[in-house]
Amino acid sequence: MKKNFVEELRWRGMLAQMMPGTEELLQRETVTAYLGTDPTADSLHIGHLCGIMMLRHLQRCGHKPIILVGGATGMIGDPSGKSQERNLLDADTLYHNQEAIKKQVEHFLDFDESLPNAALMVNNYDWMKDFSFLDFAREIGKHITVNYMMAKESVQKRLNGEASDGLSFTEFTYQLLQGYDFLYLYQHEGVKLQLGGNDQWGNMTTGTELIRRILGREQEVESYALTCPLITKADGTKFGKTESGNIWLDPKRTSPYRFYQFWLNVSDEDGERYIKIFTSLDKETIDALVEEHRQDPGRRALQRRLAEEVTVLVHGKEALQAAQDASAILFGKSTKESLARLDEETLLDVFNGVPQFTLSRESLGQPAIELFTQPDVQIFPSKGEMRKLTQGGGVSVNKERLEAFDRPITEEDLIDGKFILVQRGKKNYYLITVK
């Protein structure tokens, strides 16, 4: 007896709506299902994760997942959930983005071809590139009326939205193109189910309608749609956005340390929701974690486990360890060696927001008390205060206690050849960049 995919989504809070008969189909047979994403960047961000996790749960329940990268549809833009038309990308950029996305998705899905339900990645550009406009209009366009397309909520929102400049014909055709994807995959890959975010419901049902109208006259067709809710924060604001922008899966865009910190700092209410959605932990484990957290919220056991699970899934165990080591530098005990292991980006991420100063390389060799009290580097308001604090063991350089206030600061003290970390007391950090 296969694990019930719909029930799995339901208890995790990942089920928004589905067409009648979907659950019965999934219980009756091994189903091939697909989810589409447009390669508008060379990385997914955590806003995409709910959909990717749907595919992961689908495969773990014994079904076959297909991820469709919209090389063709990405060229024109989807009006769903948008107030403006998106920028159009050229073929080379889209191909680069597709390859980058596949590497990220491989962390979540098993593409081993020896498996009966091996994951598959497809690109709709492969079947759209030779489809002429006239052929598409004659073979596909005639089956769906403008009235049907106009009634879709995503179209109405764009037409009636206050900030909207209207809806281009290019975007208007998007639901037909997405509908054709479903038809093509139904015919060539045996796909019977499309998965997606709830804002895609209109486009997805256009696909099932197209299959019914084109193939339904000759054969009995089974095509279904199932959506997950759009994930938000407890206060209703958009999930995954921070002051500095999206939280990306690419470590070059969002360092594993910042990624780990994002999950570590979610609210208690969000933590209880997110650990169900963004991890593969079973219900018993999650229920126990939630209960443990409610008994002692201050320990943040729920957020810690959430941050660990998602960081390992996206970046691996080594990156998690590095992120935890980096966190310990600011929030716990650590050593000069652990500080030296940080790459420059992570170091700057860790100490983002602490006072920062710049020193010329020529000034090295002077006593600490001269360097750290000069007008350009005011870590201490006076030499007397620094002398007193140092003698009391309250000053550290690169996580090592400064034993003498007149010890020279030299090239050997530089982290990564350019940084000095000074700590005054327990919580006051200062980062000096030497140029």
Side-chain angles (χ1 to χ4, degrees), residues 93-314:
T93 302
L94 287 166
Y95 178 76
H96 165 75
N97 292 353
Q98 173 198 332
E99 292 304 298
I101 288 169
K102 183 175 183 184
K103 288 179 182 175
Q104 293 179 343
V105 174
E106 284 173 345
H107 292 285
F108 296 84
L109 304 176
D110 195 336
F111 287 83
D112 183 352
E113 293 179 2
S114 66
L115 293 172
N117 66 332
L120 181 67
M121 176 173 268
V122 295
N123 185 343
N124 62 10
Y125 184 71
D126 292 337
W127 56 81
M128 290 302 303
K129 65 180 185 293
D130 298 321
F131 213 155
S132 75
F133 176 75
L134 291 177
D135 287 341
F136 189 82
R138 185 178 66 242
E139 295 176 26
I140 306 301
K142 70 177 183 179
H143 294 285
I144 302 291
T145 66
V146 170
N147 299 37
Y148 179 88
M149 295 170 71
M150 288 286 289
K152 297 293 184 181
E153 185 181 5
S154 60
V155 173
Q156 288 298 316
K157 278 187 175 178
R158 277 296 298 276
L159 289 175
N160 302 322
E162 290 181 12
S164 176
D165 294 325
L167 183 69
S168 71
F169 174 76
T170 308
E171 286 186 293
F172 183 58
T173 59
Y174 189 97
Q175 62 174 290
L176 267 188
L177 291 168
Q178 186 170 330
Y180 180 68
D181 287 341
F182 199 171
L183 173 65
Y184 181 92
L185 291 173
Y186 184 95
Q187 292 176 303
H188 294 85
E189 300 291 346
V191 171
K192 293 185 178 181
L193 174 64
Q194 183 178 176
L195 307 174
N198 209 32
D199 61 337
Q200 291 291 310
W201 182 257
N203 293 343
M204 292 162 73
T205 52
T206 297
T208 62
E209 185 66 13
L210 196 60
I211 290 168
R212 186 184 66 79
R213 293 188 183 187
I214 292 179
L215 303 178
R217 298 186 187 91
E218 302 168 9
Q219 63 191 73
E220 186 177 340
V221 296
E222 286 189 301
S223 58
Y224 300 89
L226 182 154
T227 62
C228 63
L230 299 180
I231 309 302
T232 58
K233 296 179 185 175
D235 61 9
T237 57
K238 194 167 185 178
F239 164 75
K241 285 273 191 179
T242 65
E243 289 181 7
S244 56
N246 283 319
I247 302 295
W248 299 91
L249 305 195
D250 185 341
K252 296 186 184 71
R253 287 172 173 255
T254 299
S255 70
Y257 167 78
R258 272 181 57 215
F259 187 87
Y260 175 77
Q261 285 293 322
F262 171 82
W263 299 101
L264 199 61
N265 290 310
V266 300
S267 70
D268 292 351
E269 188 177 344
D270 286 336
E272 289 191 18
R273 291 167 53 231
Y274 295 167
I275 200 161
K276 296 175 185 175
I277 296 168
F278 299 112
T279 79
S280 298
L281 297 174
D282 59 42
K283 191 174 188 303
E284 291 72 24
T285 303
I286 290 174
D287 288 345
L289 275 166
V290 170
E291 183 57 32
E292 179 188 350
H293 179 78
R294 288 177 178 175
Q295 294 295 327
D296 187 2
R299 288 186 58 244
R300 299 181 74 76
L302 190 65
Q303 285 93 334
R304 288 184 187 282
R305 186 64 182 275
L306 170 66
E308 289 168 7
E309 292 288 328
V310 186
T311 304
V312 166
L313 199 54
V314 174

Side-chain angles (χ1 to χ4, degrees), residues 60-94:
R60 288 162 70 96
C61 288
H63 304 288
K64 182 178 177 66
I66 294 180
I67 182 161
L68 180 148
V69 175
T73 40
M75 286 181 165
I76 66 170
D78 173 13
S80 302
K82 309 289 188 304
S83 58
Q84 295 181 337
E85 187 160 355
R86 67 168 53 149
N87 294 329
L88 311 185
L89 303 176
D90 60 67
D92 288 344
T93 302
L94 287 166

